[in-house]
Amino acid sequence: MTILARGCTHGCLPDEVKKVLRSVASDLGDSIHDLNTLQVIPLKGAMTNQVYQINWPTTPSATEEGLIRKVLLRVYGEGVELFFNRDDEIRTFECMSNHGQGPRLLGRFAQGRVEEFIHAKTLSAADLRDPHISALIAVKLREFHDLDMHGPRRVLLWDRIRNFLKEAKRLCSKKDAEELQLNTLEEEISVLEKELSTDSQRVGFCHNDLQYGNIMMDEETNSLTIIDYEYASYNPIAYDLANHFCEMAANYHTETPHLLDYSIYPDEEERRRFVTIYLNSAGKQSSDQDQVEELLSDAEKYTLANHLFWGLWGMISNYVNNIEFDYMGYAKQRFQQYWLRKAILLGPAVKIVGVCEAEIPTVLAEKGHTPRSCCHNSSLGDQKA
């Protein structure tokens, strides 16, 4: 943990943060006389940054008493420059705000920023399985994908995965590289890119990290806000759906937050319902069931790319991030799921490489899977994707 983050955790804010907060308070019409009286509340669940709620009393007016002002303080995690460009992320943040999406940017300092505090409920793992809330997410995700954002409308997924692989090879030990078969992954990435990239695939502005902690709900209006855009970029929309489906098996607020329960991965009916609502949103009724089935199938195949992306992310984070999280355990599970699901989704015609190669036929036989079965359950139940 950085010195700055450690100070925030213990309620002792560094001078540079106090200076920004004083400026933010002034912009909001408040006057903080004693910065040492600021209330600092650590918020759990973040795996890239350290996040805090900062409270102070507002300046009372002639007609009403002072209330409590809340802002969000984000301290950037160590090594994040290996995953995304912070300047690009800030531009995305500001562009989203201009579109009326997400919180406002209130202030910046070298190692972080101050954001508007959204007065809404952060969703829980269980909320993602609520049919009503899931339908709202599907509609909101379609709206997100249709945003006209900055930058070229170009798929970044494959370049990012290759860059992650390069960094993982540079950072990790020989033992970890051999155990996780890093030398085979360049070929795997090329196979996936060739198999999944089609001329008909729809590209949109994707969040790429739509876990429950990045979705907030106004409980009075039921409106949703999607937050945290560090990994956002143009990508195939099927990939973003795949990422969300994988996150439906996660719970980052347990004693083992790195473990994902694949036995509760959404079944085909649940995924089809989500895809149908997604396609029918924005006033566009899709009577073409083939379109639903195509996106459903594409999203399931893109879970393979998602396993590689977050598996490599976990490996790199294990070496550069000091947040209390079992990044390597997380990475190993994602790679295990990749090898198992590849055999199921792409079939025997695709070369199987890696530590799970010998185990795959046995696992498939035990589960009664045909090569292209869509069931996502595995012998790796109770593990985090």
Side-chain angles (χ1 to χ4, degrees):
M1 184 184 300
T2 64
I3 294 175
L4 190 155
R6 189 181 301 114
C8 293
T9 299
H10 292 87
C12 182
L13 295 171
D15 289 341
E16 63 173 327
V17 177
K18 291 180 180 179
K19 182 178 179 180
V20 172
L21 288 173
R22 188 186 291 276
S23 176
V24 168
S26 177
D27 291 342
L28 295 174
D30 298 331
S31 178
I32 302 176
H33 300 291
D34 185 359
L35 286 166
N36 292 318
T37 63
L38 292 173
Q39 185 180 16
V40 182
I41 304 173
L43 301 180
K44 298 181 179 180
M47 292 179 291
T48 299
N49 307 297
Q50 297 281 5
V51 183
Y52 307 88
Q53 176 183 324
I54 309 294
N55 299 343
W56 66 77
T58 61
T59 301
S61 67
T63 58
E64 61 181 20
E65 295 182 1
L67 302 173
I68 298 298
R69 180 83 68 187
K70 300 177 182 179
V71 298
L72 187 137
L73 173 67
R74 185 181 302 275
V75 179
Y76 301 146
E78 296 181 64
V80 296
E81 68 279 357
L82 300 178
F83 302 123
F84 52 84
N85 182 289
R86 181 61 72 183
D87 290 337
D88 288 344
E89 189 266 338
I90 288 290
R91 280 193 291 271
T92 297
F93 189 97
E94 293 175 333
C95 190
M96 294 296 295
S97 181
N98 292 337
H99 278 291
Q101 305 278 339
R104 290 180 295 137
L105 177 63
L106 301 178
R108 296 177 63 181
F109 54 97
Q111 297 182 56
R113 64 177 181 250
V114 180
E115 303 171 14
E116 175 187 15
F117 189 90
I118 297 178
H119 295 272
K121 166 193 170 184
T122 302
L123 294 191
S124 67
D127 288 332
L128 298 191
R129 314 313 294 264
D130 181 297
H132 173 67
I133 295 176
S134 182
L136 294 176
I137 295 171
V139 173
K140 188 66 177 180
L141 188 57
R142 175 65 180 267
E143 177 186 326
F144 193 97
H145 290 164
D146 288 344
L147 291 173
D148 183 17
M149 298 294 288
H150 62 87
R153 201 179 184 86
R154 180 175 72 85
V155 171
L156 295 184
L157 174 63
W158 306 110
D159 286 346
R160 278 188 168 178
I161 295 179
R162 288 188 172 95
N163 288 338
F164 281 15
L165 176 58
K166 179 180 177 181
E167 291 298 333
K169 287 180 175 179
R170 181 179 68 85
L171 290 168
C172 76
S173 67
K174 182 179 180 181
K175 177 179 177 294
D176 288 338
E178 290 177 351
E179 180 181 356
L180 297 178
Q181 302 275 318
L182 289 191
N183 288 335
T184 70
L185 294 188
E186 185 64 50
E187 178 183 356
E188 295 299 314
I189 295 166
S190 296
V191 168
L192 280 185
E193 182 176 17
K194 182 178 180 180
E195 176 76 16
L196 302 183
S197 301
T198 64
D199 293 336
S200 62
Q201 73 178 3
R202 180 168 170 250
V203 173
F205 191 76
C206 295
H207 186 275
N208 300 317
D209 187 22
L210 198 61
Q211 52 125 322
Y212 64 85
N214 288 335
I215 309 171
M216 305 189 75
M217 171 183 279
D218 185 314
E219 295 184 272
E220 292 185 1
T221 65
N222 282 343
S223 62
L224 297 183
T225 300
I226 295 175
I227 62 172
D228 290 359
Y229 317 118
E230 286 98 340
Y231 301 96
S233 69
Y234 280 105
N235 265 335
I237 62 168
Y239 174 78
D240 218 13
L241 269 63
N243 183 88
H244 181 63
F245 293 154
C246 287
E247 292 292 350
M248 291 174 80
N251 189 338
Y252 300 116
H253 292 80
T254 66
E255 292 183 357
T256 53
H258 67 286
L259 299 180
L260 188 146
D261 185 357
Y262 288 107
S263 70
I264 63 170
Y265 179 86
D267 61 21
E268 186 172 311
E269 178 182 355
E270 190 172 0
R271 301 196 312 273
R272 180 176 288 108
R273 182 170 62 246
F274 188 97
V275 169
T276 300
I277 294 170
Y278 173 92
L279 289 174
N280 288 345
S281 64
K284 301 174 183 177
Q285 293 297 315
S286 174
S287 58
D288 186 357
Q289 190 62 27
D290 289 342
Q291 187 180 8
V292 173
E293 296 303 317
E294 180 181 12
L295 183 53
L296 182 67
S297 175
D298 288 348
E300 192 63 7
K301 290 179 181 179
Y302 265 108
T303 61
L304 298 176
N306 194 249
H307 288 316
L308 288 186
F309 183 97
W310 291 112
L312 290 166
W313 173 89
M315 287 193 71
I316 297 169
S317 296
N318 181 67
Y319 288 94
V320 302
N321 204 319
N322 291 321
I323 292 176
E324 189 176 343
F325 186 82
D326 185 357
Y327 291 104
M328 187 57 74
Y330 175 87
K332 290 178 179 179
Q333 293 168 64
R334 298 304 299 246
F335 287 129
Q336 286 171 341
Q337 276 295 298
Y338 171 77
W339 295 115
L340 178 62
R341 296 299 296 160
K342 179 186 174 185
I344 296 170
L345 293 171
L346 300 187
V350 177
K351 181 181 178 183
I352 305 296
V353 184
V355 294
C356 296
E357 181 175 3
E359 300 173 84
I360 285 174
T362 302
V363 172
L364 295 182
E366 289 175 350
K367 293 292 181 181
H369 291 309
T370 56
R372 294 187 182 272
S373 165
C374 286
C375 179
H376 206 99
N377 294 352
S378 78
S379 59
L380 303 174
D382 296 325
Q383 295 186 344
K384 175 183 183 299

mmCIF file of all heavy atoms in Angstrom, residues 1-2 5 9 43-52 74-80 83 231 252 257 313-314 317-328:
data_model
loop_
_atom_site.group_PDB
_atom_site.id
_atom_site.type_symbol
_atom_site.label_atom_id
_atom_site.label_comp_id
_atom_site.label_asym_id
_atom_site.label_seq_id
_atom_site.Cartn_x
_atom_site.Cartn_y
_atom_site.Cartn_z
ATOM 1 N N MET A 1 0.844 -1.187 0.000
ATOM 2 C CA MET A 1 0.000 0.000 0.000
ATOM 3 C C MET A 1 0.887 1.248 0.000
ATOM 4 O O MET A 1 1.865 1.325 0.706
ATOM 5 C CB MET A 1 -0.906 -0.005 1.234
ATOM 6 C CG MET A 1 -1.888 1.144 1.281
ATOM 7 S SD MET A 1 -2.845 1.149 2.810
ATOM 8 C CE MET A 1 -3.654 -0.436 2.708
ATOM 9 N N THR A 2 0.521 2.234 -0.800
ATOM 10 C CA THR A 2 1.309 3.461 -0.850
ATOM 11 C C THR A 2 1.207 4.202 0.473
ATOM 12 O O THR A 2 0.275 4.013 1.257
ATOM 13 C CB THR A 2 0.798 4.378 -1.974
ATOM 14 O OG1 THR A 2 -0.532 4.782 -1.674
ATOM 15 C CG2 THR A 2 0.848 3.684 -3.316
ATOM 16 N N ALA A 5 -2.081 6.078 0.590
ATOM 17 C CA ALA A 5 -3.246 5.247 0.909
ATOM 18 C C ALA A 5 -3.228 4.824 2.364
ATOM 19 O O ALA A 5 -4.261 4.782 3.035
ATOM 20 C CB ALA A 5 -3.270 4.016 -0.003
ATOM 21 N N THR A 9 -6.127 5.550 5.147
ATOM 22 C CA THR A 9 -6.746 4.462 5.887
ATOM 23 C C THR A 9 -6.784 4.753 7.376
ATOM 24 O O THR A 9 -7.730 4.416 8.084
ATOM 25 C CB THR A 9 -5.981 3.144 5.632
ATOM 26 O OG1 THR A 9 -6.035 2.846 4.235
ATOM 27 C CG2 THR A 9 -6.592 1.997 6.412
ATOM 28 N N LEU A 43 -13.906 2.374 1.852
ATOM 29 C CA LEU A 43 -14.950 1.602 1.179
ATOM 30 C C LEU A 43 -14.336 0.318 0.648
ATOM 31 O O LEU A 43 -13.319 0.340 -0.036
ATOM 32 C CB LEU A 43 -15.569 2.428 0.043
ATOM 33 C CG LEU A 43 -16.203 3.764 0.469
ATOM 34 C CD1 LEU A 43 -16.774 4.477 -0.745
ATOM 35 C CD2 LEU A 43 -17.285 3.541 1.517
ATOM 36 N N LYS A 44 -14.953 -0.804 0.967
ATOM 37 C CA LYS A 44 -14.397 -2.110 0.616
ATOM 38 C C LYS A 44 -14.845 -2.547 -0.775
ATOM 39 O O LYS A 44 -15.815 -2.061 -1.321
ATOM 40 C CB LYS A 44 -14.820 -3.151 1.645
ATOM 41 C CG LYS A 44 -14.312 -2.875 3.050
ATOM 42 C CD LYS A 44 -14.770 -3.969 4.007
ATOM 43 C CE LYS A 44 -14.247 -3.712 5.416
ATOM 44 N NZ LYS A 44 -14.682 -4.759 6.368
ATOM 45 N N GLY A 45 -14.108 -3.497 -1.330
ATOM 46 C CA GLY A 45 -14.503 -4.129 -2.581
ATOM 47 C C GLY A 45 -13.674 -3.735 -3.783
ATOM 48 O O GLY A 45 -13.688 -4.427 -4.800
ATOM 49 N N ALA A 46 -12.921 -2.620 -3.708
ATOM 50 C CA ALA A 46 -12.110 -2.188 -4.850
ATOM 51 C C ALA A 46 -10.847 -3.035 -4.928
ATOM 52 O O ALA A 46 -10.220 -3.337 -3.912
ATOM 53 C CB ALA A 46 -11.748 -0.719 -4.712
ATOM 54 N N MET A 47 -10.466 -3.412 -6.149
ATOM 55 C CA MET A 47 -9.294 -4.261 -6.341
ATOM 56 C C MET A 47 -8.200 -3.591 -7.167
ATOM 57 O O MET A 47 -7.136 -4.153 -7.350
ATOM 58 C CB MET A 47 -9.697 -5.588 -6.983
ATOM 59 C CG MET A 47 -10.524 -6.472 -6.066
ATOM 60 S SD MET A 47 -11.007 -8.004 -6.854
ATOM 61 C CE MET A 47 -12.159 -7.412 -8.086
ATOM 62 N N THR A 48 -8.475 -2.393 -7.686
ATOM 63 C CA THR A 48 -7.477 -1.660 -8.454
ATOM 64 C C THR A 48 -7.023 -0.413 -7.710
ATOM 65 O O THR A 48 -5.842 -0.073 -7.716
ATOM 66 C CB THR A 48 -8.045 -1.264 -9.832
ATOM 67 O OG1 THR A 48 -8.394 -2.455 -10.557
ATOM 68 C CG2 THR A 48 -7.015 -0.491 -10.638
ATOM 69 N N ASN A 49 -7.956 0.271 -7.049
ATOM 70 C CA ASN A 49 -7.653 1.501 -6.326
ATOM 71 C C ASN A 49 -8.064 1.370 -4.861
ATOM 72 O O ASN A 49 -8.765 0.431 -4.477
ATOM 73 C CB ASN A 49 -8.412 2.682 -6.937
ATOM 74 C CG ASN A 49 -8.182 2.819 -8.423
ATOM 75 O OD1 ASN A 49 -7.074 3.042 -8.867
ATOM 76 N ND2 ASN A 49 -9.253 2.682 -9.212
ATOM 77 N N GLN A 50 -7.655 2.345 -4.048
ATOM 78 C CA GLN A 50 -8.174 2.493 -2.696
ATOM 79 C C GLN A 50 -9.228 3.607 -2.738
ATOM 80 O O GLN A 50 -8.966 4.685 -3.272
ATOM 81 C CB GLN A 50 -7.052 2.871 -1.724
ATOM 82 C CG GLN A 50 -5.972 1.813 -1.583
ATOM 83 C CD GLN A 50 -6.385 0.665 -0.669
ATOM 84 O OE1 GLN A 50 -7.514 0.598 -0.207
ATOM 85 N NE2 GLN A 50 -5.472 -0.246 -0.421
ATOM 86 N N VAL A 51 -10.404 3.341 -2.168
ATOM 87 C CA VAL A 51 -11.520 4.272 -2.286
ATOM 88 C C VAL A 51 -12.043 4.626 -0.893
ATOM 89 O O VAL A 51 -12.183 3.744 -0.027
ATOM 90 C CB VAL A 51 -12.649 3.661 -3.145
ATOM 91 C CG1 VAL A 51 -13.779 4.669 -3.329
ATOM 92 C CG2 VAL A 51 -12.113 3.221 -4.509
ATOM 93 N N TYR A 52 -12.326 5.918 -0.693
ATOM 94 C CA TYR A 52 -12.766 6.398 0.615
ATOM 95 C C TYR A 52 -13.941 7.358 0.456
ATOM 96 O O TYR A 52 -14.018 8.117 -0.520
ATOM 97 C CB TYR A 52 -11.633 7.150 1.335
ATOM 98 C CG TYR A 52 -10.357 6.358 1.427
ATOM 99 C CD1 TYR A 52 -9.411 6.412 0.397
ATOM 100 C CD2 TYR A 52 -10.092 5.554 2.532
ATOM 101 C CE1 TYR A 52 -8.236 5.677 0.459
ATOM 102 C CE2 TYR A 52 -8.916 4.820 2.607
ATOM 103 C CZ TYR A 52 -7.996 4.881 1.569
ATOM 104 O OH TYR A 52 -6.839 4.148 1.632
ATOM 105 N N ARG A 74 -10.553 8.815 -4.442
ATOM 106 C CA ARG A 74 -9.976 7.632 -5.090
ATOM 107 C C ARG A 74 -8.458 7.790 -5.140
ATOM 108 O O ARG A 74 -7.936 8.719 -5.765
ATOM 109 C CB ARG A 74 -10.532 7.482 -6.507
ATOM 110 C CG ARG A 74 -10.083 6.214 -7.238
ATOM 111 C CD ARG A 74 -10.663 6.180 -8.651
ATOM 112 N NE ARG A 74 -12.117 6.256 -8.608
ATOM 113 C CZ ARG A 74 -12.927 5.213 -8.437
ATOM 114 N NH1 ARG A 74 -12.401 4.000 -8.293
ATOM 115 N NH2 ARG A 74 -14.233 5.372 -8.418
ATOM 116 N N VAL A 75 -7.750 6.856 -4.477
ATOM 117 C CA VAL A 75 -6.295 6.830 -4.516
ATOM 118 C C VAL A 75 -5.873 5.711 -5.469
ATOM 119 O O VAL A 75 -6.233 4.552 -5.272
ATOM 120 C CB VAL A 75 -5.693 6.583 -3.113
ATOM 121 C CG1 VAL A 75 -4.170 6.542 -3.184
ATOM 122 C CG2 VAL A 75 -6.157 7.663 -2.145
ATOM 123 N N TYR A 76 -5.133 6.077 -6.511
ATOM 124 C CA TYR A 76 -4.790 5.110 -7.541
ATOM 125 C C TYR A 76 -3.916 3.998 -6.991
ATOM 126 O O TYR A 76 -2.986 4.232 -6.213
ATOM 127 C CB TYR A 76 -4.061 5.798 -8.696
ATOM 128 C CG TYR A 76 -4.855 6.902 -9.355
ATOM 129 C CD1 TYR A 76 -4.221 8.033 -9.877
ATOM 130 C CD2 TYR A 76 -6.235 6.822 -9.458
ATOM 131 C CE1 TYR A 76 -4.946 9.040 -10.485
ATOM 132 C CE2 TYR A 76 -6.968 7.836 -10.064
ATOM 133 C CZ TYR A 76 -6.320 8.943 -10.570
ATOM 134 O OH TYR A 76 -7.045 9.948 -11.163
ATOM 135 N N GLY A 77 -4.208 2.765 -7.412
ATOM 136 C CA GLY A 77 -3.430 1.619 -6.994
ATOM 137 C C GLY A 77 -2.054 1.602 -7.656
ATOM 138 O O GLY A 77 -1.831 2.236 -8.692
ATOM 139 N N GLU A 78 -1.144 0.855 -7.058
ATOM 140 C CA GLU A 78 0.204 0.737 -7.608
ATOM 141 C C GLU A 78 0.181 -0.143 -8.854
ATOM 142 O O GLU A 78 -0.516 -1.139 -8.917
ATOM 143 C CB GLU A 78 1.134 0.139 -6.553
ATOM 144 C CG GLU A 78 1.316 1.020 -5.331
ATOM 145 C CD GLU A 78 2.258 0.396 -4.318
ATOM 146 O OE1 GLU A 78 3.440 0.220 -4.638
ATOM 147 O OE2 GLU A 78 1.800 0.083 -3.210
ATOM 148 N N GLY A 79 0.971 0.233 -9.851
ATOM 149 C CA GLY A 79 1.125 -0.584 -11.048
ATOM 150 C C GLY A 79 -0.015 -0.508 -12.036
ATOM 151 O O GLY A 79 -0.031 -1.241 -13.025
ATOM 152 N N VAL A 80 -0.999 0.391 -11.803
ATOM 153 C CA VAL A 80 -2.160 0.424 -12.692
ATOM 154 C C VAL A 80 -1.795 0.882 -14.096
ATOM 155 O O VAL A 80 -2.526 0.601 -15.060
ATOM 156 C CB VAL A 80 -3.273 1.333 -12.124
ATOM 157 C CG1 VAL A 80 -3.810 0.784 -10.820
ATOM 158 C CG2 VAL A 80 -2.780 2.759 -11.939
ATOM 159 N N PHE A 83 -2.041 -1.596 -16.821
ATOM 160 C CA PHE A 83 -3.340 -2.070 -17.284
ATOM 161 C C PHE A 83 -4.071 -1.082 -18.189
ATOM 162 O O PHE A 83 -4.802 -1.474 -19.078
ATOM 163 C CB PHE A 83 -4.241 -2.386 -16.081
ATOM 164 C CG PHE A 83 -3.679 -3.412 -15.149
ATOM 165 C CD1 PHE A 83 -3.497 -3.127 -13.814
ATOM 166 C CD2 PHE A 83 -3.320 -4.666 -15.611
ATOM 167 C CE1 PHE A 83 -2.987 -4.077 -12.945
ATOM 168 C CE2 PHE A 83 -2.801 -5.623 -14.750
ATOM 169 C CZ PHE A 83 -2.631 -5.327 -13.416
ATOM 170 N N TYR A 231 -11.193 0.384 -17.353
ATOM 171 C CA TYR A 231 -10.952 -0.598 -18.419
ATOM 172 C C TYR A 231 -11.855 -0.382 -19.635
ATOM 173 O O TYR A 231 -11.828 -1.174 -20.584
ATOM 174 C CB TYR A 231 -11.142 -2.017 -17.874
ATOM 175 C CG TYR A 231 -10.208 -2.331 -16.728
ATOM 176 C CD1 TYR A 231 -10.618 -2.183 -15.403
ATOM 177 C CD2 TYR A 231 -8.896 -2.738 -16.963
ATOM 178 C CE1 TYR A 231 -9.749 -2.436 -14.350
ATOM 179 C CE2 TYR A 231 -8.031 -3.001 -15.912
ATOM 180 C CZ TYR A 231 -8.465 -2.845 -14.615
ATOM 181 O OH TYR A 231 -7.593 -3.100 -13.578
ATOM 182 N N TYR A 252 -17.310 -10.471 -3.993
ATOM 183 C CA TYR A 252 -16.066 -9.914 -3.472
ATOM 184 C C TYR A 252 -16.175 -9.474 -2.015
ATOM 185 O O TYR A 252 -15.268 -8.823 -1.500
ATOM 186 C CB TYR A 252 -15.631 -8.734 -4.342
ATOM 187 C CG TYR A 252 -15.401 -9.120 -5.779
ATOM 188 C CD1 TYR A 252 -16.184 -8.598 -6.802
ATOM 189 C CD2 TYR A 252 -14.407 -10.037 -6.111
ATOM 190 C CE1 TYR A 252 -15.981 -8.967 -8.124
ATOM 191 C CE2 TYR A 252 -14.199 -10.415 -7.429
ATOM 192 C CZ TYR A 252 -14.983 -9.877 -8.430
ATOM 193 O OH TYR A 252 -14.775 -10.255 -9.738
ATOM 194 N N PRO A 257 -12.725 -13.550 -1.083
ATOM 195 C CA PRO A 257 -13.253 -12.757 -2.198
ATOM 196 C C PRO A 257 -12.680 -13.141 -3.556
ATOM 197 O O PRO A 257 -13.274 -12.805 -4.585
ATOM 198 C CB PRO A 257 -12.869 -11.324 -1.821
ATOM 199 C CG PRO A 257 -11.692 -11.474 -0.912
ATOM 200 C CD PRO A 257 -11.954 -12.725 -0.140
ATOM 201 N N TRP A 313 -4.342 -10.384 -15.772
ATOM 202 C CA TRP A 313 -4.465 -9.247 -14.846
ATOM 203 C C TRP A 313 -4.119 -9.679 -13.426
ATOM 204 O O TRP A 313 -3.401 -8.988 -12.698
ATOM 205 C CB TRP A 313 -5.888 -8.699 -14.903
ATOM 206 C CG TRP A 313 -6.216 -7.648 -13.896
ATOM 207 C CD1 TRP A 313 -6.060 -6.297 -14.032
ATOM 208 C CD2 TRP A 313 -6.798 -7.845 -12.592
ATOM 209 N NE1 TRP A 313 -6.497 -5.650 -12.891
ATOM 210 C CE2 TRP A 313 -6.942 -6.571 -11.999
ATOM 211 C CE3 TRP A 313 -7.200 -8.978 -11.880
ATOM 212 C CZ2 TRP A 313 -7.487 -6.404 -10.723
ATOM 213 C CZ3 TRP A 313 -7.726 -8.816 -10.613
ATOM 214 C CH2 TRP A 313 -7.864 -7.541 -10.047
ATOM 215 N N GLY A 314 -4.614 -10.838 -13.026
ATOM 216 C CA GLY A 314 -4.336 -11.339 -11.694
ATOM 217 C C GLY A 314 -2.863 -11.637 -11.487
ATOM 218 O O GLY A 314 -2.299 -11.326 -10.419
ATOM 219 N N SER A 317 -1.057 -8.258 -11.194
ATOM 220 C CA SER A 317 -1.427 -7.608 -9.933
ATOM 221 C C SER A 317 -0.733 -8.265 -8.747
ATOM 222 O O SER A 317 -0.400 -7.589 -7.763
ATOM 223 C CB SER A 317 -2.942 -7.663 -9.733
ATOM 224 O OG SER A 317 -3.618 -6.932 -10.740
ATOM 225 N N ASN A 318 -0.511 -9.561 -8.831
ATOM 226 C CA ASN A 318 0.170 -10.268 -7.750
ATOM 227 C C ASN A 318 1.548 -9.687 -7.470
ATOM 228 O O ASN A 318 2.027 -9.715 -6.330
ATOM 229 C CB ASN A 318 0.296 -11.752 -8.115
ATOM 230 C CG ASN A 318 0.969 -12.568 -7.021
ATOM 231 O OD1 ASN A 318 0.434 -12.754 -5.933
ATOM 232 N ND2 ASN A 318 2.180 -13.043 -7.304
ATOM 233 N N TYR A 319 2.178 -9.128 -8.490
ATOM 234 C CA TYR A 319 3.539 -8.601 -8.348
ATOM 235 C C TYR A 319 3.583 -7.089 -8.112
ATOM 236 O O TYR A 319 4.594 -6.579 -7.636
ATOM 237 C CB TYR A 319 4.359 -8.941 -9.595
ATOM 238 C CG TYR A 319 4.706 -10.415 -9.675
ATOM 239 C CD1 TYR A 319 3.900 -11.297 -10.381
ATOM 240 C CD2 TYR A 319 5.828 -10.936 -9.031
ATOM 241 C CE1 TYR A 319 4.197 -12.646 -10.448
ATOM 242 C CE2 TYR A 319 6.134 -12.284 -9.088
ATOM 243 C CZ TYR A 319 5.318 -13.138 -9.799
ATOM 244 O OH TYR A 319 5.616 -14.483 -9.857
ATOM 245 N N VAL A 320 2.509 -6.377 -8.452
ATOM 246 C CA VAL A 320 2.597 -4.911 -8.388
ATOM 247 C C VAL A 320 1.598 -4.270 -7.434
ATOM 248 O O VAL A 320 1.735 -3.088 -7.121
ATOM 249 C CB VAL A 320 2.418 -4.280 -9.788
ATOM 250 C CG1 VAL A 320 3.457 -4.811 -10.759
ATOM 251 C CG2 VAL A 320 1.002 -4.509 -10.337
ATOM 252 N N ASN A 321 0.592 -5.000 -6.964
ATOM 253 C CA ASN A 321 -0.463 -4.397 -6.157
ATOM 254 C C ASN A 321 -0.425 -4.950 -4.735
ATOM 255 O O ASN A 321 -0.331 -6.168 -4.546
ATOM 256 C CB ASN A 321 -1.835 -4.663 -6.781
ATOM 257 C CG ASN A 321 -2.865 -3.634 -6.359
ATOM 258 O OD1 ASN A 321 -2.919 -3.238 -5.206
ATOM 259 N ND2 ASN A 321 -3.686 -3.197 -7.300
ATOM 260 N N ASN A 322 -0.517 -4.059 -3.755
ATOM 261 C CA ASN A 322 -0.462 -4.464 -2.355
ATOM 262 C C ASN A 322 -1.824 -4.527 -1.679
ATOM 263 O O ASN A 322 -1.908 -4.696 -0.466
ATOM 264 C CB ASN A 322 0.447 -3.512 -1.569
ATOM 265 C CG ASN A 322 1.904 -3.665 -1.965
ATOM 266 O OD1 ASN A 322 2.375 -4.774 -2.196
ATOM 267 N ND2 ASN A 322 2.627 -2.560 -2.051
ATOM 268 N N ILE A 323 -2.895 -4.377 -2.436
ATOM 269 C CA ILE A 323 -4.233 -4.534 -1.871
ATOM 270 C C ILE A 323 -4.386 -5.971 -1.386
ATOM 271 O O ILE A 323 -3.898 -6.910 -2.013
ATOM 272 C CB ILE A 323 -5.305 -4.182 -2.915
ATOM 273 C CG1 ILE A 323 -5.270 -2.676 -3.219
ATOM 274 C CG2 ILE A 323 -6.696 -4.567 -2.432
ATOM 275 C CD1 ILE A 323 -6.228 -2.237 -4.302
ATOM 276 N N GLU A 324 -5.069 -6.140 -0.266
ATOM 277 C CA GLU A 324 -5.224 -7.471 0.327
ATOM 278 C C GLU A 324 -6.200 -8.301 -0.494
ATOM 279 O O GLU A 324 -7.420 -8.226 -0.328
ATOM 280 C CB GLU A 324 -5.710 -7.345 1.776
ATOM 281 C CG GLU A 324 -5.701 -8.662 2.529
ATOM 282 C CD GLU A 324 -6.081 -8.505 3.984
ATOM 283 O OE1 GLU A 324 -6.042 -7.364 4.482
ATOM 284 O OE2 GLU A 324 -6.417 -9.526 4.618
ATOM 285 N N PHE A 325 -5.662 -9.096 -1.387
ATOM 286 C CA PHE A 325 -6.464 -9.916 -2.303
ATOM 287 C C PHE A 325 -5.545 -10.988 -2.871
ATOM 288 O O PHE A 325 -4.401 -10.696 -3.224
ATOM 289 C CB PHE A 325 -7.041 -9.036 -3.422
ATOM 290 C CG PHE A 325 -8.002 -9.749 -4.344
ATOM 291 C CD1 PHE A 325 -9.327 -9.914 -3.990
ATOM 292 C CD2 PHE A 325 -7.577 -10.233 -5.569
ATOM 293 C CE1 PHE A 325 -10.215 -10.558 -4.841
ATOM 294 C CE2 PHE A 325 -8.448 -10.870 -6.431
ATOM 295 C CZ PHE A 325 -9.775 -11.037 -6.065
ATOM 296 N N ASP A 326 -6.026 -12.213 -2.954
ATOM 297 C CA ASP A 326 -5.210 -13.316 -3.469
ATOM 298 C C ASP A 326 -5.232 -13.288 -5.007
ATOM 299 O O ASP A 326 -5.946 -14.059 -5.650
ATOM 300 C CB ASP A 326 -5.731 -14.650 -2.942
ATOM 301 C CG ASP A 326 -4.848 -15.832 -3.339
ATOM 302 O OD1 ASP A 326 -3.853 -15.619 -4.067
ATOM 303 O OD2 ASP A 326 -5.171 -16.965 -2.941
ATOM 304 N N TYR A 327 -4.431 -12.392 -5.568
ATOM 305 C CA TYR A 327 -4.421 -12.218 -7.024
ATOM 306 C C TYR A 327 -3.966 -13.479 -7.752
ATOM 307 O O TYR A 327 -4.507 -13.821 -8.810
ATOM 308 C CB TYR A 327 -3.509 -11.049 -7.405
ATOM 309 C CG TYR A 327 -4.027 -9.703 -6.994
ATOM 310 C CD1 TYR A 327 -3.485 -9.029 -5.902
ATOM 311 C CD2 TYR A 327 -5.061 -9.083 -7.688
ATOM 312 C CE1 TYR A 327 -3.951 -7.778 -5.522
ATOM 313 C CE2 TYR A 327 -5.539 -7.844 -7.308
ATOM 314 C CZ TYR A 327 -4.985 -7.192 -6.228
ATOM 315 O OH TYR A 327 -5.458 -5.956 -5.848
ATOM 316 N N MET A 328 -2.953 -14.180 -7.225
ATOM 317 C CA MET A 328 -2.456 -15.365 -7.923
ATOM 318 C C MET A 328 -3.473 -16.502 -7.870
ATOM 319 O O MET A 328 -3.661 -17.221 -8.857
ATOM 320 C CB MET A 328 -1.122 -15.807 -7.324
ATOM 321 C CG MET A 328 -0.444 -16.936 -8.113
ATOM 322 S SD MET A 328 -0.163 -16.510 -9.866
ATOM 323 C CE MET A 328 1.204 -15.347 -9.710
#
